[in-house]
Amino acid sequence: MFVVMVASECAPVAKVGGLADVVFGLSRELEERGHSVEIILPKYDCMRTEHVVGMEVAWHDLWVPWAGDGIHCTVWFGFVHGRQCYFIEPHSSAHFFERGTYYGFWDDPTRFTFFSKAALQFMLDSGRRPDVIHTHDWQTALLPVLLFEMYAAAGMHDQRVCHTVHNFAHQGITNEYVLHASGLHRPEYFGAQDRMGDDLDHHAINLMKGGLVYANFITTVSPSHAWEARHTDLGCGLGHTLHRFQDKFGGVINGLDYDMWNPAIDPHIAHHFDATCIDDKAGNTKALRDKLHLREGRRPVIGYVGRLDTQKGLHLIRHALFFALHNDAQFVLLGSGSHHGINEDFWHLKQTLHDNRDCHLWIGYDEDLAHLIYAGCDMLIMPSLFEPCGLSQMIALRYGTVPVVRAVGGLKDTVFDWDHSDLPRDKRNGFVFEHPENEGVDSALRRALGLWRNEPKLFRRLVEQGMAYDYSWKDPAGHYLAIYDFIRHK
Ligand code: ADP
């Protein structure tokens, strides 16, 4: 099968969060099974080009009709750790992808609508006719609309689209300008409630809704989150649309790239280990303490790695930090926020705790340190308010670090409580709490620390059971292939 992924991120060349890992990991697994996969990305000025091998111009002169005129693009090609990637570089005074960062601009809907259209134009002009185009999140959600309303007539009538929603909280709410600029026009038609008219703001165009309505299949990144999106306010206004299209909507848990995240060969960590030599993990705890100036001693280290976003339960992360300090444990945090105010708050907290040798806050993005934290910690906290899938808990499990999570979304589908799960005891792998409140965090951490301190053999068994889980792309890729097959033959 020939699959083209069109996305705004791909690890590690252009990564903000889990979306990037999914695009890379799924593509690799599909290729390993003999399918042909190409990835189309914007050519950001800030992307990590050191991860691209053999970058060369693939298409000199892509002309993308836009806003009554058009924009010339250069399309580059290069391998990103073996994946075939195309990077679209528009030449215009709007400098769509020359902003020094990936997101956060007033014209984001315009930037990514342009990208979606450019990706289709590139496929059309270069004769690419994939069996399936897999789009991701609001950034590329207009692609199926453009495909079926515009490009099908130009020659792309056999293509099918699978659209994956990684986060319902960001939907690309915009106005009719994107319709005019992309050449769709007809705001009365596309802006209708049964197409792209936003359900909450009736004057707005909702790009993600376009993806849901037009794609041949919609997935989100865990079965629990698929349910939450349809039945609770976690669908962020799209519950009704998902209900309408329930026959083409499902949840597929993300996989983890088991080559990139493998403690037996990970070049970023101090000591390699696997389930047969878990004691060697201690070398990473030492390296982590040395790096972050934490004191030595027999106390567990609790970690947090992730974006600093309200979604992640920031007040609960902060609470967990103080709980650790009051209970003779250590705490390390690696994170960065997209909001200046959030980063400021954490900088302030860091300064307040500056001379505390039991905790360290690293505000920023650091791939190497992330690996060392997963390898060196005893526990990882994820008190998310919502979590479509979550990769960090799966990485933690692979690195023998016990996840302590809130029972929501993908966390619920991957972490099973040591004391209370319905699964048999030998399948349990972490600690889970229900309500996003301080008491929930306290009780889960108390149980985790208690087991670590009083029942080291059982804690080790829990670690081993976690490491025995297979959250690689093996199963999820099978599910996606079944979906691709289904929509191809429908
Ligand atoms: P989300 O997609 O909501 O950001 P996930 O848990 O699905 O959350 O994925 C987060 C991914 O990004 C993980 O691979 C995590 O290690 C990585 N990550 C997040 N923040 C940072 C950071 N500040 N430094 C390094 N890696 C990070």
Side-chain angles (χ1 to χ4, degrees):
M1 203 180 312
F2 177 23
V3 180
V4 172
M5 300 269 169
V6 185
S8 56
E9 298 181 32
C10 175
V13 64
K15 170 166 165 172
V16 176
L19 159 64
D21 296 304
V22 172
V23 171
F24 182 89
L26 176 57
S27 301
R28 177 164 65 199
E29 181 70 26
L30 294 172
E31 280 195 87
E32 279 178 4
R33 292 181 187 209
H35 302 284
S36 168
V37 183
E38 293 177 348
I39 303 170
I40 304 182
L41 299 159
K43 187 169 184 294
Y44 301 102
D45 61 350
C46 55
M47 68 187 196
R48 298 170 65 193
T49 40
E50 71 272 21
H51 289 287
V52 191
V53 173
M55 184 79 123
E56 60 183 25
V57 172
W59 203 260
H60 279 283
D61 205 8
L62 181 72
W63 173 253
V64 183
W66 187 252
D69 189 10
I71 296 179
H72 272 125
C73 300
T74 305
V75 184
W76 298 76
F77 172 81
F79 287 98
V80 174
H81 297 259
R83 308 284 72 71
Q84 302 182 59
C85 293
Y86 289 88
F87 302 92
I88 294 182
E89 179 186 27
H91 303 289
S92 94
S93 56
H95 301 293
F96 283 146
F97 303 114
E98 296 156 354
R99 309 275 181 97
T101 182
Y102 298 101
Y103 310 124
F105 303 96
W106 67 271
D107 60 345
D108 281 357
T110 308
R111 298 167 67 217
F112 289 102
T113 294
F114 176 79
F115 167 63
S116 302
K117 181 161 187 187
L120 276 172
Q121 191 68 43
F122 173 54
M123 286 184 248
L124 180 72
D125 290 2
S126 63
R128 281 182 171 66
R129 296 294 183 269
D131 298 298
V132 173
I133 302 173
H134 195 152
T135 52
H136 299 266
D137 268 348
W138 71 264
Q139 289 89 343
T140 49
L142 199 72
L143 189 147
V145 185
L146 291 163
L147 174 66
F148 295 120
E149 294 281 357
M150 197 182 264
Y151 283 80
M156 296 186 70
H157 26 72
D158 289 333
Q159 280 52 59
R160 297 287 173 268
V161 178
C162 173
H163 183 73
T164 297
V165 179
H166 299 255
N167 195 334
F168 282 97
H170 304 287
Q171 300 180 1
I173 307 294
T174 181
N175 56 38
E176 55 187 64
Y177 173 74
V178 293
L179 299 176
H180 293 300
S182 64
L184 287 169
H185 300 294
R186 295 195 289 156
E188 64 295 341
Y189 175 79
F190 288 108
Q193 286 308 297
D194 59 351
R195 287 191 187 77
M196 297 167 67
D198 187 60
D199 288 343
L200 306 176
D201 175 354
H202 289 226
H203 300 292
I205 296 293
N206 183 324
L207 295 178
M208 185 178 278
K209 190 170 168 185
L212 305 188
V213 173
Y214 279 81
N216 302 97
F217 206 90
I218 315 155
T219 66
T220 189
V221 287
S222 68
S224 284
H225 195 59
W227 186 91
E228 291 164 349
R230 262 185 69 189
H231 298 285
T232 75
D233 57 5
L234 292 182
C236 305
L238 289 172
H240 173 70
T241 305
L242 293 172
H243 209 67
R244 235 176 94 205
F245 295 108
Q246 56 180 303
D247 292 345
K248 60 166 189 174
F249 176 50
V252 180
I253 195 92
N254 286 334
L256 193 64
D257 191 311
Y258 266 30
D259 285 345
M260 192 182 289
W261 298 105
N262 182 354
I265 53 166
D266 189 334
H268 306 290
I269 67 176
H271 289 268
H272 293 152
F273 63 100
D274 61 28
T276 63
C277 53
I278 295 175
D279 288 338
D280 293 350
K281 180 174 162 68
N284 294 299
T285 311
K286 178 160 183 0
L288 180 65
R289 285 187 171 130
D290 286 350
K291 186 174 169 85
L292 302 183
H293 313 292
L294 300 184
R295 63 176 165 155
E296 287 297 328
R298 195 182 173 277
R299 24 184 99 68
V301 188
I302 303 170
Y304 173 81
V305 180
R307 291 179 299 116
L308 298 177
D309 186 292
T310 43
Q311 167 197 341
K312 303 291 179 183
L314 296 178
H315 59 296
L316 299 174
I317 293 169
R318 201 185 160 100
H319 180 78
L321 184 156
F322 286 105
F323 185 90
L325 296 182
H326 290 141
N327 287 276
D328 203 23
Q330 297 182 314
F331 197 96
V332 296
L333 174 144
L334 167 62
S336 66
S338 47
H339 289 293
H340 184 63
I342 292 178
N343 278 336
E344 287 275 288
D345 286 352
F346 276 87
W347 272 109
H348 184 70
L349 183 61
K350 183 181 165 77
Q351 275 155 8
T352 315
L353 294 163
H354 187 57
D355 51 4
N356 192 314
R357 299 212 47 212
D358 284 325
C359 75
H360 192 102
L361 280 67
W362 190 294
I363 321 287
Y365 186 92
D366 190 320
E367 193 79 39
D368 290 356
L369 180 58
H371 285 248
L372 189 58
I373 291 178
Y374 290 119
C377 285
D378 299 286
M379 298 152 206
L380 186 96
I381 181 94
M382 289 184 79
S384 305
L385 305 186
F386 69 95
E387 193 63 75
C389 177
L391 291 175
S392 297
Q393 81 281 14
M394 298 197 259
I395 303 172
L397 287 166
R398 180 114 165 107
Y399 282 69
T401 298
V402 172
V404 180
V405 308
R406 177 169 172 239
V408 69
L411 298 174
K412 205 167 156 176
D413 293 338
T414 50
V415 182
F416 308 102
D417 190 84
W418 175 250
D419 296 304
H420 305 301
S421 167
D422 295 335
L423 292 188
R425 191 104 207 197
D426 64 350
K427 293 284 178 225
R428 301 178 187 180
N429 60 9
F431 292 92
V432 179
F433 60 97
E434 283 291 327
H435 301 291
E437 287 154 10
N438 291 349
E439 293 73 25
V441 173
D442 290 355
S443 86
L445 279 181
R446 196 171 292 118
R447 290 188 292 125
L449 295 179
L451 195 72
W452 187 91
R453 258 189 207 111
N454 307 325
E455 305 275 5
K457 285 209 178 95
L458 287 182
F459 190 86
R460 192 191 172 97
R461 199 174 121 194
L462 180 60
V463 167
E464 285 167 358
Q465 289 177 191
M467 290 183 88
Y469 265 84
D470 182 350
Y471 285 132
S472 69
W473 272 104
K474 219 169 72 203
D475 283 352
H479 288 300
Y480 275 112
L481 282 170
I483 291 169
Y484 297 165
D485 252 344
F486 173 70
I487 58 181
R488 270 174 76 198
H489 298 115
K490 210 163 65 141

mmCIF file of all heavy atoms in Angstrom, residues 191-228:
data_model
loop_
_atom_site.group_PDB
_atom_site.id
_atom_site.type_symbol
_atom_site.label_atom_id
_atom_site.label_comp_id
_atom_site.label_asym_id
_atom_site.label_seq_id
_atom_site.Cartn_x
_atom_site.Cartn_y
_atom_site.Cartn_z
ATOM 1 N N GLY A 191 -19.539 26.816 5.410
ATOM 2 C CA GLY A 191 -19.726 27.282 6.789
ATOM 3 C C GLY A 191 -21.014 26.787 7.428
ATOM 4 O O GLY A 191 -21.328 27.132 8.575
ATOM 5 N N ALA A 192 -21.765 25.950 6.708
ATOM 6 C CA ALA A 192 -23.016 25.422 7.279
ATOM 7 C C ALA A 192 -22.698 24.496 8.451
ATOM 8 O O ALA A 192 -21.617 23.911 8.518
ATOM 9 C CB ALA A 192 -23.786 24.661 6.198
ATOM 10 N N GLN A 193 -23.678 24.365 9.340
ATOM 11 C CA GLN A 193 -23.457 23.569 10.554
ATOM 12 C C GLN A 193 -23.121 22.113 10.253
ATOM 13 O O GLN A 193 -22.424 21.457 11.013
ATOM 14 C CB GLN A 193 -24.700 23.609 11.460
ATOM 15 C CG GLN A 193 -24.880 24.924 12.188
ATOM 16 C CD GLN A 193 -23.630 25.351 12.941
ATOM 17 O OE1 GLN A 193 -23.185 24.679 13.847
ATOM 18 N NE2 GLN A 193 -23.039 26.472 12.545
ATOM 19 N N ASP A 194 -23.619 21.576 9.156
ATOM 20 C CA ASP A 194 -23.318 20.170 8.885
ATOM 21 C C ASP A 194 -22.004 20.005 8.125
ATOM 22 O O ASP A 194 -21.638 18.904 7.747
ATOM 23 C CB ASP A 194 -24.469 19.497 8.126
ATOM 24 C CG ASP A 194 -24.760 20.177 6.807
ATOM 25 O OD1 ASP A 194 -24.186 21.268 6.556
ATOM 26 O OD2 ASP A 194 -25.551 19.631 6.018
ATOM 27 N N ARG A 195 -21.287 21.119 7.884
ATOM 28 C CA ARG A 195 -19.947 20.988 7.300
ATOM 29 C C ARG A 195 -18.925 21.573 8.275
ATOM 30 O O ARG A 195 -18.595 20.922 9.254
ATOM 31 C CB ARG A 195 -19.882 21.664 5.932
ATOM 32 C CG ARG A 195 -20.623 20.861 4.885
ATOM 33 C CD ARG A 195 -20.393 21.313 3.470
ATOM 34 N NE ARG A 195 -21.282 20.569 2.610
ATOM 35 C CZ ARG A 195 -22.594 20.826 2.472
ATOM 36 N NH1 ARG A 195 -23.139 21.878 3.083
ATOM 37 N NH2 ARG A 195 -23.362 20.058 1.703
ATOM 38 N N MET A 196 -18.480 22.826 8.035
ATOM 39 C CA MET A 196 -17.386 23.326 8.860
ATOM 40 C C MET A 196 -17.790 24.459 9.790
ATOM 41 O O MET A 196 -16.932 25.082 10.411
ATOM 42 C CB MET A 196 -16.248 23.812 7.949
ATOM 43 C CG MET A 196 -15.665 22.675 7.128
ATOM 44 S SD MET A 196 -14.625 23.275 5.807
ATOM 45 C CE MET A 196 -13.301 23.968 6.749
ATOM 46 N N GLY A 197 -19.086 24.749 9.861
ATOM 47 C CA GLY A 197 -19.536 25.791 10.779
ATOM 48 C C GLY A 197 -19.307 25.332 12.218
ATOM 49 O O GLY A 197 -19.721 24.231 12.586
ATOM 50 N N ASP A 198 -18.660 26.177 12.986
ATOM 51 C CA ASP A 198 -18.355 25.783 14.370
ATOM 52 C C ASP A 198 -19.648 25.683 15.176
ATOM 53 O O ASP A 198 -20.543 26.516 15.031
ATOM 54 C CB ASP A 198 -17.404 26.820 14.993
ATOM 55 C CG ASP A 198 -16.920 26.385 16.350
ATOM 56 O OD1 ASP A 198 -16.285 25.327 16.425
ATOM 57 O OD2 ASP A 198 -17.207 27.095 17.336
ATOM 58 N N ASP A 199 -19.743 24.678 16.040
ATOM 59 C CA ASP A 199 -20.979 24.467 16.803
ATOM 60 C C ASP A 199 -21.138 25.470 17.939
ATOM 61 O O ASP A 199 -22.241 25.671 18.436
ATOM 62 C CB ASP A 199 -21.004 23.044 17.380
ATOM 63 C CG ASP A 199 -21.239 22.017 16.281
ATOM 64 O OD1 ASP A 199 -21.697 22.416 15.193
ATOM 65 O OD2 ASP A 199 -20.939 20.837 16.497
ATOM 66 N N LEU A 200 -20.035 26.071 18.384
ATOM 67 C CA LEU A 200 -20.129 26.995 19.512
ATOM 68 C C LEU A 200 -20.178 28.443 19.034
ATOM 69 O O LEU A 200 -20.904 29.265 19.569
ATOM 70 C CB LEU A 200 -18.954 26.784 20.477
ATOM 71 C CG LEU A 200 -18.793 25.325 20.974
ATOM 72 C CD1 LEU A 200 -17.547 25.188 21.851
ATOM 73 C CD2 LEU A 200 -20.031 24.881 21.750
ATOM 74 N N ASP A 201 -19.387 28.757 18.021
ATOM 75 C CA ASP A 201 -19.393 30.109 17.468
ATOM 76 C C ASP A 201 -19.909 30.010 16.024
ATOM 77 O O ASP A 201 -19.172 29.622 15.112
ATOM 78 C CB ASP A 201 -17.977 30.682 17.499
ATOM 79 C CG ASP A 201 -17.898 32.038 16.818
ATOM 80 O OD1 ASP A 201 -18.911 32.481 16.230
ATOM 81 O OD2 ASP A 201 -16.812 32.666 16.867
ATOM 82 N N HIS A 202 -21.174 30.384 15.843
ATOM 83 C CA HIS A 202 -21.821 30.130 14.557
ATOM 84 C C HIS A 202 -21.276 30.942 13.392
ATOM 85 O O HIS A 202 -21.600 30.679 12.239
ATOM 86 C CB HIS A 202 -23.339 30.319 14.710
ATOM 87 C CG HIS A 202 -23.941 29.220 15.528
ATOM 88 N ND1 HIS A 202 -25.080 28.556 15.193
ATOM 89 C CD2 HIS A 202 -23.533 28.644 16.689
ATOM 90 C CE1 HIS A 202 -25.350 27.625 16.089
ATOM 91 N NE2 HIS A 202 -24.416 27.673 17.017
ATOM 92 N N HIS A 203 -20.413 31.925 13.710
ATOM 93 C CA HIS A 203 -19.828 32.697 12.609
ATOM 94 C C HIS A 203 -18.458 32.149 12.210
ATOM 95 O O HIS A 203 -17.849 32.641 11.265
ATOM 96 C CB HIS A 203 -19.671 34.166 13.012
ATOM 97 C CG HIS A 203 -20.994 34.784 13.367
ATOM 98 N ND1 HIS A 203 -21.976 35.001 12.422
ATOM 99 C CD2 HIS A 203 -21.493 35.183 14.556
ATOM 100 C CE1 HIS A 203 -23.033 35.529 13.021
ATOM 101 N NE2 HIS A 203 -22.769 35.642 14.321
ATOM 102 N N ALA A 204 -17.987 31.167 12.957
ATOM 103 C CA ALA A 204 -16.611 30.715 12.741
ATOM 104 C C ALA A 204 -16.552 29.454 11.881
ATOM 105 O O ALA A 204 -17.495 28.669 11.818
ATOM 106 C CB ALA A 204 -15.940 30.449 14.084
ATOM 107 N N ILE A 205 -15.399 29.293 11.230
ATOM 108 C CA ILE A 205 -15.099 28.081 10.460
ATOM 109 C C ILE A 205 -14.209 27.203 11.334
ATOM 110 O O ILE A 205 -13.220 27.680 11.908
ATOM 111 C CB ILE A 205 -14.333 28.447 9.165
ATOM 112 C CG1 ILE A 205 -15.201 29.313 8.243
ATOM 113 C CG2 ILE A 205 -13.837 27.201 8.440
ATOM 114 C CD1 ILE A 205 -16.398 28.604 7.668
ATOM 115 N N ASN A 206 -14.575 25.944 11.446
ATOM 116 C CA ASN A 206 -13.827 25.022 12.293
ATOM 117 C C ASN A 206 -13.098 24.014 11.386
ATOM 118 O O ASN A 206 -13.721 23.140 10.780
ATOM 119 C CB ASN A 206 -14.803 24.302 13.233
ATOM 120 C CG ASN A 206 -14.118 23.382 14.203
ATOM 121 O OD1 ASN A 206 -13.130 22.741 13.865
ATOM 122 N ND2 ASN A 206 -14.646 23.316 15.413
ATOM 123 N N LEU A 207 -11.784 24.176 11.292
ATOM 124 C CA LEU A 207 -11.021 23.336 10.358
ATOM 125 C C LEU A 207 -11.092 21.864 10.748
ATOM 126 O O LEU A 207 -11.243 20.985 9.899
ATOM 127 C CB LEU A 207 -9.555 23.801 10.318
ATOM 128 C CG LEU A 207 -9.318 25.202 9.754
ATOM 129 C CD1 LEU A 207 -7.839 25.561 9.821
ATOM 130 C CD2 LEU A 207 -9.797 25.301 8.309
ATOM 131 N N MET A 208 -10.987 21.595 12.055
ATOM 132 C CA MET A 208 -11.014 20.187 12.466
ATOM 133 C C MET A 208 -12.344 19.526 12.099
ATOM 134 O O MET A 208 -12.387 18.383 11.666
ATOM 135 C CB MET A 208 -10.757 20.046 13.959
ATOM 136 C CG MET A 208 -10.652 18.579 14.360
ATOM 137 S SD MET A 208 -10.290 18.342 16.087
ATOM 138 C CE MET A 208 -8.533 18.553 16.112
ATOM 139 N N LYS A 209 -13.398 20.288 12.242
ATOM 140 C CA LYS A 209 -14.705 19.730 11.901
ATOM 141 C C LYS A 209 -14.742 19.331 10.423
ATOM 142 O O LYS A 209 -15.325 18.309 10.060
ATOM 143 C CB LYS A 209 -15.804 20.748 12.227
ATOM 144 C CG LYS A 209 -17.189 20.175 12.145
ATOM 145 C CD LYS A 209 -18.215 21.144 12.702
ATOM 146 C CE LYS A 209 -19.623 20.698 12.348
ATOM 147 N NZ LYS A 209 -20.634 21.671 12.768
ATOM 148 N N GLY A 210 -14.080 20.137 9.588
ATOM 149 C CA GLY A 210 -13.987 19.778 8.168
ATOM 150 C C GLY A 210 -13.356 18.406 7.990
ATOM 151 O O GLY A 210 -13.830 17.580 7.209
ATOM 152 N N GLY A 211 -12.290 18.162 8.766
ATOM 153 C CA GLY A 211 -11.622 16.858 8.696
ATOM 154 C C GLY A 211 -12.557 15.736 9.110
ATOM 155 O O GLY A 211 -12.595 14.675 8.479
ATOM 156 N N LEU A 212 -13.333 15.969 10.166
ATOM 157 C CA LEU A 212 -14.236 14.920 10.659
ATOM 158 C C LEU A 212 -15.328 14.619 9.630
ATOM 159 O O LEU A 212 -15.688 13.469 9.395
ATOM 160 C CB LEU A 212 -14.892 15.337 11.980
ATOM 161 C CG LEU A 212 -13.963 15.743 13.140
ATOM 162 C CD1 LEU A 212 -14.768 15.934 14.427
ATOM 163 C CD2 LEU A 212 -12.876 14.715 13.367
ATOM 164 N N VAL A 213 -15.843 15.671 9.027
ATOM 165 C CA VAL A 213 -16.958 15.487 8.092
ATOM 166 C C VAL A 213 -16.481 14.805 6.806
ATOM 167 O O VAL A 213 -17.135 13.909 6.290
ATOM 168 C CB VAL A 213 -17.627 16.849 7.772
ATOM 169 C CG1 VAL A 213 -18.669 16.701 6.667
ATOM 170 C CG2 VAL A 213 -18.249 17.447 9.033
ATOM 171 N N TYR A 214 -15.324 15.216 6.310
ATOM 172 C CA TYR A 214 -14.906 14.769 4.980
ATOM 173 C C TYR A 214 -14.026 13.523 4.952
ATOM 174 O O TYR A 214 -13.987 12.817 3.944
ATOM 175 C CB TYR A 214 -14.170 15.909 4.259
ATOM 176 C CG TYR A 214 -15.117 16.911 3.628
ATOM 177 C CD1 TYR A 214 -15.705 17.915 4.372
ATOM 178 C CD2 TYR A 214 -15.421 16.829 2.268
ATOM 179 C CE1 TYR A 214 -16.576 18.825 3.794
ATOM 180 C CE2 TYR A 214 -16.287 17.737 1.680
ATOM 181 C CZ TYR A 214 -16.863 18.731 2.444
ATOM 182 O OH TYR A 214 -17.727 19.618 1.853
ATOM 183 N N ALA A 215 -13.285 13.257 6.030
ATOM 184 C CA ALA A 215 -12.360 12.110 5.984
ATOM 185 C C ALA A 215 -13.159 10.819 5.847
ATOM 186 O O ALA A 215 -14.306 10.732 6.291
ATOM 187 C CB ALA A 215 -11.503 12.068 7.243
ATOM 188 N N ASN A 216 -12.528 9.813 5.263
ATOM 189 C CA ASN A 216 -13.206 8.515 5.132
ATOM 190 C C ASN A 216 -13.208 7.754 6.451
ATOM 191 O O ASN A 216 -14.060 6.908 6.680
ATOM 192 C CB ASN A 216 -12.514 7.666 4.063
ATOM 193 C CG ASN A 216 -12.496 8.376 2.731
ATOM 194 O OD1 ASN A 216 -11.502 9.009 2.374
ATOM 195 N ND2 ASN A 216 -13.600 8.317 2.011
ATOM 196 N N PHE A 217 -12.222 8.036 7.279
ATOM 197 C CA PHE A 217 -12.219 7.445 8.622
ATOM 198 C C PHE A 217 -11.544 8.434 9.572
ATOM 199 O O PHE A 217 -10.620 9.142 9.193
ATOM 200 C CB PHE A 217 -11.473 6.100 8.638
ATOM 201 C CG PHE A 217 -11.962 5.204 9.740
ATOM 202 C CD1 PHE A 217 -13.004 4.311 9.525
ATOM 203 C CD2 PHE A 217 -11.406 5.289 11.020
ATOM 204 C CE1 PHE A 217 -13.477 3.501 10.559
ATOM 205 C CE2 PHE A 217 -11.869 4.479 12.051
ATOM 206 C CZ PHE A 217 -12.912 3.586 11.828
ATOM 207 N N ILE A 218 -12.058 8.473 10.795
ATOM 208 C CA ILE A 218 -11.490 9.364 11.817
ATOM 209 C C ILE A 218 -11.025 8.487 12.972
ATOM 210 O O ILE A 218 -11.760 7.607 13.418
ATOM 211 C CB ILE A 218 -12.557 10.301 12.414
ATOM 212 C CG1 ILE A 218 -13.459 10.921 11.343
ATOM 213 C CG2 ILE A 218 -11.928 11.373 13.284
ATOM 214 C CD1 ILE A 218 -14.826 11.331 11.909
ATOM 215 N N THR A 219 -9.816 8.767 13.437
ATOM 216 C CA THR A 219 -9.411 8.098 14.675
ATOM 217 C C THR A 219 -8.998 9.152 15.687
ATOM 218 O O THR A 219 -8.627 10.275 15.332
ATOM 219 C CB THR A 219 -8.204 7.153 14.475
ATOM 220 O OG1 THR A 219 -7.055 7.928 14.132
ATOM 221 C CG2 THR A 219 -8.461 6.118 13.411
ATOM 222 N N THR A 220 -9.095 8.760 16.947
ATOM 223 C CA THR A 220 -8.353 9.497 17.951
ATOM 224 C C THR A 220 -7.464 8.470 18.631
ATOM 225 O O THR A 220 -7.507 7.283 18.307
ATOM 226 C CB THR A 220 -9.254 10.263 18.935
ATOM 227 O OG1 THR A 220 -8.407 11.115 19.738
ATOM 228 C CG2 THR A 220 -10.061 9.348 19.826
ATOM 229 N N VAL A 221 -6.624 8.937 19.573
ATOM 230 C CA VAL A 221 -5.450 8.142 19.896
ATOM 231 C C VAL A 221 -5.587 7.196 21.090
ATOM 232 O O VAL A 221 -4.573 6.722 21.599
ATOM 233 C CB VAL A 221 -4.224 9.077 20.025
ATOM 234 C CG1 VAL A 221 -3.800 9.568 18.658
ATOM 235 C CG2 VAL A 221 -4.528 10.258 20.941
ATOM 236 N N SER A 222 -6.798 6.938 21.504
ATOM 237 C CA SER A 222 -7.027 5.830 22.449
ATOM 238 C C SER A 222 -8.527 5.538 22.468
ATOM 239 O O SER A 222 -9.343 6.435 22.238
ATOM 240 C CB SER A 222 -6.544 6.165 23.860
ATOM 241 O OG SER A 222 -7.336 7.174 24.437
ATOM 242 N N PRO A 223 -8.896 4.301 22.748
ATOM 243 C CA PRO A 223 -10.328 3.971 22.808
ATOM 244 C C PRO A 223 -11.050 4.765 23.889
ATOM 245 O O PRO A 223 -12.174 5.247 23.665
ATOM 246 C CB PRO A 223 -10.328 2.468 23.136
ATOM 247 C CG PRO A 223 -9.009 1.973 22.644
ATOM 248 C CD PRO A 223 -8.047 3.102 22.835
ATOM 249 N N SER A 224 -10.432 4.934 25.059
ATOM 250 C CA SER A 224 -11.116 5.687 26.118
ATOM 251 C C SER A 224 -11.363 7.125 25.693
ATOM 252 O O SER A 224 -12.413 7.699 25.979
ATOM 253 C CB SER A 224 -10.308 5.679 27.422
ATOM 254 O OG SER A 224 -10.443 4.433 28.043
ATOM 255 N N HIS A 225 -10.380 7.709 25.029
ATOM 256 C CA HIS A 225 -10.572 9.103 24.612
ATOM 257 C C HIS A 225 -11.627 9.207 23.507
ATOM 258 O O HIS A 225 -12.337 10.212 23.431
ATOM 259 C CB HIS A 225 -9.258 9.734 24.176
ATOM 260 C CG HIS A 225 -9.346 11.229 24.085
ATOM 261 N ND1 HIS A 225 -9.676 12.031 25.166
ATOM 262 C CD2 HIS A 225 -9.181 12.085 23.041
ATOM 263 C CE1 HIS A 225 -9.710 13.287 24.788
ATOM 264 N NE2 HIS A 225 -9.416 13.351 23.509
ATOM 265 N N ALA A 226 -11.729 8.184 22.681
ATOM 266 C CA ALA A 226 -12.787 8.183 21.652
ATOM 267 C C ALA A 226 -14.150 8.240 22.353
ATOM 268 O O ALA A 226 -15.044 8.984 21.938
ATOM 269 C CB ALA A 226 -12.676 6.938 20.775
ATOM 270 N N TRP A 227 -14.276 7.489 23.410
ATOM 271 C CA TRP A 227 -15.534 7.505 24.161
ATOM 272 C C TRP A 227 -15.739 8.881 24.816
ATOM 273 O O TRP A 227 -16.827 9.473 24.705
ATOM 274 C CB TRP A 227 -15.529 6.388 25.222
ATOM 275 C CG TRP A 227 -16.845 6.261 25.920
ATOM 276 C CD1 TRP A 227 -17.888 5.459 25.564
ATOM 277 C CD2 TRP A 227 -17.270 7.002 27.078
ATOM 278 N NE1 TRP A 227 -18.942 5.644 26.432
ATOM 279 C CE2 TRP A 227 -18.591 6.584 27.367
ATOM 280 C CE3 TRP A 227 -16.677 7.958 27.886
ATOM 281 C CZ2 TRP A 227 -19.321 7.104 28.440
ATOM 282 C CZ3 TRP A 227 -17.401 8.482 28.945
ATOM 283 C CH2 TRP A 227 -18.708 8.048 29.214
ATOM 284 N N GLU A 228 -14.691 9.387 25.470
ATOM 285 C CA GLU A 228 -14.799 10.683 26.160
ATOM 286 C C GLU A 228 -15.168 11.799 25.182
ATOM 287 O O GLU A 228 -15.968 12.685 25.495
ATOM 288 C CB GLU A 228 -13.453 11.044 26.819
ATOM 289 C CG GLU A 228 -13.074 10.162 27.988
ATOM 290 C CD GLU A 228 -11.587 10.296 28.361
ATOM 291 O OE1 GLU A 228 -10.805 10.906 27.606
ATOM 292 O OE2 GLU A 228 -11.204 9.743 29.404
#
